């Protein structure tokens, strides 16, 4: 016997679609609701006579059954309601009288918004019946543009397409039901179908979700790119996610603890959450091909089922507790902001309530739900203020907790006992850079809110966030966050300043810090920075001048790209610092060439965070504020501009030359001499090399090929003329990157700003090749202005600057740069 048996009520049907009124329609014919079979009208789905209709004042009707059943599922619908006219709830619609063999009768009152409801539901969903459509997932990888926001919800609430389902549980399941007598009591309604339930179960899933692990034993299946989905007929299933490739033990021992885990892109092992009735069929597919099916009741009973040579499934058993977790500083015992991740030994994540287990379904998050969580490869971390709460499984739980680079990450195994509701974790600070006058900041953050920037900054032990509104075509971001002043946390430990990143696709981008007023337009000259068809309205130099006029600070981001106007900014002294986003030697050598040409350029680190796969401050700037000066945004920018910085993607880097600090100038006699350099790098992530760089050349180094926490060196360096020295540390040979697991895959590294060495007078350096390179860039920008850029007709346009000659306005900074470079060449007696 089938678990569920739909009845054919065709002979009793007395009404068609006209009963619904207007052009309303409802599903008819053979239907499946919640995985249960129904027949509404004839099997072909004719809409002529498909309902048993009961008008107001209708007579009672007996529907013959003549069979045993544990449950009777009635598909019905109320046709009118007074609720929206403030009428009563629980209006008595009918009595359903179940006549049992032997003479017993069981009467069920059918009340509005309890056992029956209108469609759509007047006043809200019914309390004791179910919509005909179950809850469902949204399409995972596609959908209409208008659903982009809702897609983040992942699931849709089930609604009624035509009916509600009411379940009657037979108190005497072994006794046949002779008939169902329908006794109308007032408002009109219809019955569409009746199905008899023979399975020993409640027919509609009401169980909590359980994790099911999917294993593909066959190598050819396991090695395929991840594309597994699960369907459940009489229940629901979440999206399916790959489990980590490494074991729980390997996870605990991994050197990248606190900083993610490589994403498993293959299909060998996955998990899904399922809630279903025992008779449900769970279907597993790979690339739309069915790998196998398993009965949910059998799987729960056995725990694991070998479905076929291609599929093995198991269900995760055990209880769970709602746990309040507190993370405290090991020294002070006080709660400490951080980011946390909880998982089972198999790798199933358990996010604190209010956070993602998989941020945005492990898909991209560019300008999409940015903030509160961060994904590093396989792992989604939740930012917390030191406390969180939510479900955790009883038994063994693996925790992964981190707070920036100055705390030792905690990756450990804890045992959660039945009934346990509290959990305390302790983080140890291994260094405190603030106590030594070093304050960290991210030069380059997008899309977070100002309050979210504080939240994540404190979770990463970051002191400063430069939150940058900008334009992206017709998208304008963080406009409402701009205030023209610093936002300081109550404890004074984090500062958020909303400036702007002004951008042009050919000339370049510019970070404007410390703005009191907007510097507009934010972007210019078309996509992907400005709007389609946008014209060239402004130069980076003008942006820089207007920022400086407000007392602000100008940083060239992601040097050198876009590589147009940065040379002009540097030549004319408009750039206060340059930012490095990547570990590539191209970026390094571009920086070094400007230093070698005699331009003092502090180095800063920033993330260009635009998504939840980049932690704020994973590349950060440490700025040294001298004793006696307060930590303020103004002082942080002032000493950044003075070159008291090092860029860090993990390591803490200390460097001195003859006792002089980063950013200092060491004065030697005209013929130079020997200087003593000292460098030390220490990191929570493994480092392999520590190098001293002179004018771009490595002049001293030490290395640990296996990776270590600490490297140090002392060396004597010969100096024969004006020069500069810097320290850097990173992967093997430095140039080889040991990547972070953020969305950029940037390297674990650190690099100081230079210590300058002047020999017999004021420091200067010059490199003719670099000067010519800069002049070529200047000329290229002028050519672009004249011959390639899109512009308004000059005679018809009044521009933001108010000058009559727009071309002369655009050319001016480039002419100034050309003159400045030529002047330097003339002073050195170099022909040009």
């Amino acid at each position: 016997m089938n678990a569920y048996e739909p009845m054919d009520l065709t002979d009793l049907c007395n009404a068609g679609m006209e009963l619904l009124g207007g052009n309303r329609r409802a599903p008819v014919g053979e239907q499946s609701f919640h995985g249960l079979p129904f027949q509404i009208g004839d099997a072909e789905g004719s809409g002529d006579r498909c309902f048993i209709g009961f008008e107001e004042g209708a007579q009672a009707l007996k529907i013959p059954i003549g069979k045993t059943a544990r449950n009777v599922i009635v598909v019905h619908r109320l046709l009118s309601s007074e609720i929206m006219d403030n009428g009563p709830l629980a209006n008595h619609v009918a009595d359903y009288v179940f006549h049992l063999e032997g003479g017993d009768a069981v009467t069920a009152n059918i009340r509005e918004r309890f056992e029956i409801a209108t469609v759509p539901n007047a006043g809200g969903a019914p309390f004791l019946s179910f919509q005909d459509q179950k809850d469902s997932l949204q399409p995972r990888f596609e959908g209409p543009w208008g659903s982009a926001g809702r897609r983040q919800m992942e699931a849709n609430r089930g609604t009624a397409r035509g009916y509600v389902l009411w379940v009657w549980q037979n108190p005497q399941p072994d006794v046949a039901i002779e008939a169902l007598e329908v006794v109308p009591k007032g408002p009109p309604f219809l019955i569409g179908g009746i199905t008899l339930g023979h399975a020993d179960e409640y027919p509609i899933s009401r169980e909590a979700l359980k994790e099911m692990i999917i294993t593909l034993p066959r190598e050819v299946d396991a090695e395929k790119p991840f594309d597994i989905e699960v369907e459940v007929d009489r229940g629901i299933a979440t999206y399916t996610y790959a489990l980590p490739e490494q074991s729980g033990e390997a996870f605990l021992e991994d050197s990248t603890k606190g900083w993610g885990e490589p994403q498993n892109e293959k299909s060998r092992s996955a998990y899904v959450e399922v809630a279903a009735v025992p008779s449900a069929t769970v279907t597993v597919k790979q690339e739309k091909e069915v790998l196998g099916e398993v009965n949910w009741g059998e799987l729960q009973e056995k725990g694991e089922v070998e479905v076929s040579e291609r599929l093995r499934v198991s269900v995760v058993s055990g209880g769970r507790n709602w746990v309040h977790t507190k993370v405290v500083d090991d020294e002070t015992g006080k709660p400490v902001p951080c980011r946390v991740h909880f998982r089972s030994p198999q790798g199933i994540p358990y996010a604190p309530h209010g956070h993602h287990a998989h941020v945005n379904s492990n898909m991209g998050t560019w300008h999409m739900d940015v903030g509160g969580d961060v994904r590093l490869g396989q792992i989604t971390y939740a930012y917390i203020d030191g406390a969180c709460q939510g479900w955790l499984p009883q038994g063994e739980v693996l925790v992964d907790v981190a707070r920036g680079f100055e705390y030792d990450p905690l990756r450990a195994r804890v045992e959660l006992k039945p009934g346990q509701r509290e959990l305390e974790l302790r983080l140890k600070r291994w260094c405190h850079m603030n106590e030594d006058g070093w304050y960290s900041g991210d030069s380059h953050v997008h899309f977070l809110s100002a309050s979210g920037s504080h939240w994540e900054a404190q979770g990463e032990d970051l002191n400063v966030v430069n939150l940058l509104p900008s334009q992206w075509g017709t998208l304008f971001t963080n406009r409402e966050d701009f205030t023209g002043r610093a936002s300081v946390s109550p404890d004074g430990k984090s500062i958020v300043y909303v400036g702007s990143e002004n951008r042009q696709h050919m000339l370049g981008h510019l970070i404007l810090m410390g703005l009191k007023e907007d510097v507009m337009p934010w972007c210019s000259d078309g996509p992907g920075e400005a709007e389609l068809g946008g014209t060239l309205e402004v130069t980076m130099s003008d942006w820089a001048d207007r920022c400086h006029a407000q007392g602000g600070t100008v940083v060239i981001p992601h040097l050198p790209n876009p590589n147009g106007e940065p040379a002009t900014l540097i030549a004319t002294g408009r750039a206060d610092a340059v930012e490095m986003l990547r570990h590539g030697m191209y970026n390094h050598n571009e920086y070094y060439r400007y230093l070698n040409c005699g331009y003092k350029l502090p180095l800063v680190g920033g993330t260009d965070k635009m998504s939840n796969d980049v932690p704020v401050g994973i590349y950060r700037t440490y700025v040294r504020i001298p004793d006696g000066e307060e930590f303020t945004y103004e002082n942080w920018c002032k000493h950044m501009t003075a070159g008291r910085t090092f860029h860090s993607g993990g390591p803490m880097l200390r460097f001195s030359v003859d006792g002089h600090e980063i950013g200092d100038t060491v004065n030697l006699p005209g013929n130079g001499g020997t200087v003593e350099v000292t460098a030390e790098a220490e990191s929570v992530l493994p480092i392999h090399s520590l190098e001293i760089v002179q004018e771009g050349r490595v002049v001293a180094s030490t290395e640990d090929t296996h990776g270590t926490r600490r490297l140090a060196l002392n060396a004597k360096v010969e100096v024969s003329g004006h020069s500069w020295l810097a320290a850097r540390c990173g992967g093997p040979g430095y140039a080889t990157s040991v990547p972070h697991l953020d969305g950029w895959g940037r390297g674990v590294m650190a690099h100081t700003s230079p210590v300058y060495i002047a020999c017999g007078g004021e420091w200067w350096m010059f490199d003719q090749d670099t000067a010519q390179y800069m002049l070529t860039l200047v000329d290229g920008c002028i050519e672009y202005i004249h011959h390639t850029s899109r512009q308004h007709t000059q005679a018809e346009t009044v521009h933001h600057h108010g000058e009559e000659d727009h071309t002369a306005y655009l050319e001016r900074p480039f002419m100034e740069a050309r003159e400045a470079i030529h002047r330097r060449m003339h002073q050195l007696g170099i022909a040009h």
Side-chain angles (χ1 to χ4, degrees):
M1 180 185 293
N2 292 329
Y4 292 92
E5 178 184 0
M7 294 181 60
D8 185 351
L9 305 179
T10 307
D11 291 343
L12 298 173
C13 290
N14 59 5
M17 290 293 175
E18 74 281 354
L19 191 62
L20 305 180
N23 295 319
R24 297 185 181 93
R25 307 289 295 177
V28 295
E30 292 181 347
Q31 296 291 327
S32 176
F33 301 137
H34 293 263
L36 306 173
F38 293 91
Q39 182 177 322
I40 300 173
D42 58 49
E44 290 72 31
S46 167
D48 296 334
R49 290 169 59 84
C50 47
F51 304 133
I52 305 174
F54 296 89
E55 299 290 347
E56 191 168 349
Q59 298 299 307
L61 173 70
K62 272 192 176 183
I63 301 173
I65 296 177
K67 295 183 178 183
T68 60
R70 291 182 174 276
N71 299 286
V72 177
I73 306 100
V74 180
V75 169
H76 56 189
R77 172 175 175 169
L78 184 62
L79 296 174
S80 68
S81 174
E82 297 179 357
I83 288 178
M84 300 311 292
D85 295 320
N86 304 105
L89 294 173
N91 194 10
H92 194 178
V93 176
D95 284 337
Y96 289 177
V97 183
F98 293 88
H99 293 278
L100 305 181
E101 191 176 70
D104 288 346
V106 181
T107 300
N109 297 141
I110 306 302
R111 301 161 295 169
E112 181 177 5
R113 265 210 78 192
F114 282 78
E115 294 81 7
I116 198 169
T118 58
V119 177
N121 305 147
F127 298 111
L128 289 176
S129 53
F130 300 87
Q131 313 285 15
D132 58 26
Q133 301 302 302
K134 64 182 180 179
D135 298 344
S136 61
L137 288 175
Q138 298 187 36
R140 190 167 190 172
F141 301 111
E142 61 187 11
W145 167 251
S147 299
R150 285 187 175 273
R151 168 60 184 80
Q152 297 170 78
M153 297 166 57
E154 297 191 357
N156 294 313
R157 177 71 177 165
T159 58
R161 289 177 57 203
Y163 319 96
V164 295
L165 279 61
W166 174 67
V167 178
W168 178 73
Q169 294 178 279
N170 188 353
Q172 302 179 55
D174 296 328
V175 178
I177 305 167
E178 292 182 343
L180 165 59
E181 183 180 8
V182 181
V183 184
K185 292 293 183 180
F189 66 99
L190 66 82
I191 292 177
I194 296 174
T195 288
L196 305 180
H198 302 298
D200 186 10
E201 64 186 17
Y202 193 80
I204 295 177
S205 168
R206 297 173 53 224
E207 297 78 10
L209 289 167
K210 289 186 177 180
E211 296 92 356
M212 185 181 85
I213 293 177
I214 302 162
T215 304
L216 306 189
R218 203 171 73 167
E219 200 67 17
V220 66
D221 296 328
E223 288 297 310
K224 287 181 179 179
F226 186 80
D227 185 6
I228 297 175
E229 59 183 319
V230 170
E231 296 175 356
V232 183
D233 56 358
R234 295 172 191 157
I236 54 175
T238 63
Y239 295 139
T240 307
Y241 294 97
L243 287 169
E245 289 191 275
Q246 63 181 351
S247 68
E249 289 300 323
F251 174 72
L252 292 172
E253 297 301 321
D254 199 308
S255 62
T256 61
K257 58 187 64 175
W259 292 92
E261 178 183 30
Q263 176 66 47
N264 181 9
E265 304 285 356
K266 298 179 181 179
S267 299
R268 184 177 307 278
S269 182
Y271 86 96
V272 65
E273 295 178 89
V274 173
V277 300
S279 67
T281 298
V282 179
T283 304
V284 180
K285 296 181 178 181
Q286 183 182 40
E287 297 176 338
K288 307 301 181 183
E289 178 191 2
V290 174
L291 296 181
E293 297 178 341
V294 64
N295 174 265
W296 183 243
E298 178 189 359
L299 178 59
Q300 291 191 93
E301 180 181 345
K302 295 181 177 178
E304 181 173 293
V305 174
E306 194 88 26
V307 181
S308 70
E309 65 174 10
R310 300 182 66 185
L311 177 64
R312 183 171 65 251
V313 294
S314 59
V315 67
V316 178
S317 60
R320 58 175 61 193
N321 300 352
W322 186 275
V323 178
H324 294 255
T325 300
K326 182 167 62 174
V327 182
V328 300
D329 184 289
D330 189 61
E331 182 179 347
T332 66
K334 295 180 179 179
V336 60
C338 58
R339 50 182 166 81
V340 299
H341 169 74
F342 302 95
R343 72 195 305 174
S344 72
Q346 300 97 329
I348 299 171
Y350 294 86
H353 186 71
H355 296 271
H356 303 83
H358 300 273
V359 62
N360 210 16
S361 310
N362 280 5
M363 296 168 66
T365 59
W366 192 91
H367 194 246
M368 184 74 73
D369 192 21
V370 179
D373 300 303
V374 67
R375 178 182 170 219
L376 294 175
Q378 184 83 19
I379 298 177
T380 292
Y381 294 91
Y383 283 107
I384 66 171
D385 61 0
C388 61
Q389 57 182 294
W391 292 113
L392 291 177
Q394 293 174 10
E396 186 177 315
V397 179
L398 307 185
V399 301
D400 195 26
V401 189
R403 187 182 194 229
F405 299 135
E406 299 176 40
Y407 278 81
D408 283 318
L410 173 67
R411 185 174 283 183
R413 179 188 292 108
V414 298
E415 190 73 22
L416 194 67
K417 298 180 176 59
Q420 181 178 343
R421 298 185 64 243
E422 305 289 337
L423 177 65
E424 182 176 281
L425 305 171
R426 305 184 77 86
L427 277 182
K428 293 183 179 181
R429 181 184 281 279
W430 69 270
C431 75
H432 202 318
M433 298 297 284
N434 287 175
E435 291 184 350
D436 294 332
W438 291 96
Y439 293 86
S440 60
D442 190 330
S443 58
H444 197 162
V445 175
H446 296 292
F447 302 163
L448 287 174
S449 64
S451 59
S453 296
H454 276 296
W455 185 266
E456 296 198 13
Q458 294 198 6
E460 295 290 354
D461 197 25
L462 188 71
N463 299 121
V464 176
V465 172
N466 289 284
L467 181 60
L468 305 177
S470 195
Q471 177 184 359
W472 324 76
T474 56
L475 172 66
F476 295 86
T477 56
N478 292 105
R479 183 70 192 90
E480 67 279 10
D481 288 307
F482 184 83
T483 63
R485 60 183 182 274
S487 170
V488 183
S489 63
D491 62 6
K493 293 180 180 178
S494 67
I495 297 173
V496 176
Y497 204 110
V498 181
S500 66
E501 184 184 9
N502 292 32
R503 304 159 60 245
Q504 201 275 352
H505 68 274
M506 176 65 73
L507 302 182
H509 296 185
L510 209 58
I511 293 174
L512 308 181
M513 297 180 177
L515 293 179
K516 310 299 186 298
E517 298 177 357
D518 285 310
V519 172
M520 291 187 171
W522 281 347
C523 295
S524 179
D525 200 20
E529 284 77 355
E531 66 280 1
L532 180 67
T535 52
L536 180 57
E537 291 301 313
V538 64
T539 62
M540 293 170 66
S541 295
D542 183 35
W543 284 329
D545 290 344
R546 285 191 274 162
C547 177
H548 283 143
Q550 300 180 37
T553 302
V554 174
V555 176
I556 300 174
H558 36 72
L559 186 78
N561 297 321
N563 196 8
E565 200 173 342
T568 293
L569 294 163
I570 291 168
T572 57
R574 288 180 166 99
D576 297 314
V578 297
E579 173 196 82
M580 190 182 294
L581 291 182
R582 296 188 183 274
H583 188 203
M585 295 314 296
Y586 168 70
N587 308 79
H588 283 62
N589 291 331
E590 286 292 305
Y591 176 51
Y592 297 160
R593 76 156 80 221
Y594 286 113
L595 295 175
N596 289 343
C597 203
Y599 298 103
K600 288 188 173 183
L601 291 171
L603 182 64
V604 303
T607 57
D608 203 1
K609 177 180 172 69
M610 291 182 278
S611 65
N612 270 351
D613 60 5
V614 174
V616 66
I618 196 170
Y619 269 17
R620 61 183 64 187
T621 309
Y622 277 91
V623 176
R624 175 84 160 86
I625 298 177
D627 294 343
E629 294 191 37
E630 287 185 278
F631 167 54
T632 64
Y633 185 75
E634 291 73 17
N635 282 339
W636 191 83
C637 289
K638 179 177 73 174
H639 292 289
M640 178 185 71
T641 302
R644 312 291 186 186
T645 73
F646 70 89
H647 168 305
S648 178
M652 300 298 107
L653 192 52
R654 301 180 186 274
F655 177 56
S656 66
V657 178
D658 279 354
H660 291 268
E661 295 184 350
I662 298 167
D664 281 346
T665 300
V666 179
N667 292 295
L668 295 180
N671 59 351
T674 301
V675 294
E676 185 172 346
V677 298
T678 301
E680 179 183 328
E682 192 165 0
S683 174
V684 295
L685 294 164
I687 52 176
H688 299 75
S689 61
L690 174 62
E691 300 178 342
I692 305 300
V693 179
Q694 182 181 22
E695 300 172 27
R697 307 181 312 274
V698 176
V699 293
S701 66
T702 184
E703 187 163 350
D704 186 311
T705 56
H706 301 291
T708 184
R709 179 169 182 136
R710 183 180 181 277
L711 289 170
L713 67 81
N714 293 285
K716 294 186 182 298
V717 178
E718 295 293 330
V719 179
S720 57
H722 296 283
S723 188
W724 59 266
L725 293 164
R728 67 189 192 187
C729 68
Y734 182 75
T736 303
S737 172
V738 177
H740 278 289
L741 293 168
D742 71 318
W744 295 53
R746 45 191 127 204
V748 176
M749 53 82 71
H751 197 302
T752 69
S753 286
V755 173
Y756 302 94
I757 302 173
C759 295
E762 187 176 347
W763 181 84
W764 67 272
M765 293 181 71
F766 188 81
D767 179 77
Q768 189 166 353
D769 288 342
T770 298
Q772 186 56 56
Y773 173 79
M774 295 172 72
L775 287 170
T776 303
L777 286 169
V778 168
D779 291 343
C781 289
I782 293 173
E783 293 294 325
Y784 176 76
I785 290 168
H786 280 278
H787 302 296
T788 312
S789 66
R790 186 186 301 273
Q791 297 191 31
H792 285 288
T793 303
Q794 191 151 297
E796 301 174 350
T797 308
V798 178
H799 294 275
H800 68 93
H801 48 73
E803 298 183 23
E804 290 186 8
D805 191 336
H806 183 56
T807 303
Y809 156 82
L810 292 173
E811 286 182 334
R812 187 176 304 127
F814 302 99
M815 299 300 186
E816 294 169 356
R818 181 186 286 167
E819 180 183 348
I821 296 168
H822 285 164
R823 186 166 56 247
R824 292 193 69 202
M825 296 173 72
H826 178 73
Q827 291 168 351
L828 296 169
I830 299 172
H832 54 82

